[in-house]
Amino acid sequence: MSELNIYGVYIPIFLLQAIVVYILLKLINILTDRWAEQGWIALPSIFNLCVYIVLLWGIHSLYVVYVS
């Protein structure tokens, strides 16, 4: 893993990836919240956690393949 140095403060790349994924998750939640209200998603909190983990895995793999 690598890190970013901004004025002497080291920021892990994984933290930046997690923030990007959180923003993507909030955008995806606009669609999936309607599905949860209609009953298509039984356990919305577990569903959101799984979506977050899958998105984080995808963003991190893209980083590993194309940047590292």
Side-chain angles (χ1 to χ4, degrees):
M1 297 288 298
S2 61
E3 50 198 22
L4 204 60
N5 183 1
I6 301 177
Y7 298 110
V9 177
Y10 290 100
I11 301 172
I13 294 295
F14 195 70
L15 175 64
L16 297 177
Q17 293 170 358
I19 292 170
V20 168
V21 169
Y22 181 75
I23 293 168
L24 286 174
L25 180 68
K26 287 301 172 185
L27 293 174
I28 291 172
N29 275 347
I30 294 170
L31 176 66
T32 59
D33 282 346
R34 279 188 257 142
W35 293 345
E37 289 173 1
Q38 294 173 354
W40 287 95
I41 300 172
L43 301 169
S45 57
I46 295 175
F47 177 79
N48 288 336
L49 176 64
C50 292
V51 170
Y52 181 80
I53 290 171
V54 167
L55 286 173
L56 188 59
W57 171 76
I59 293 291
H60 185 68
S61 353
L62 288 174
Y63 173 78
V64 168
V65 169
Y66 292 111
V67 178
S68 293

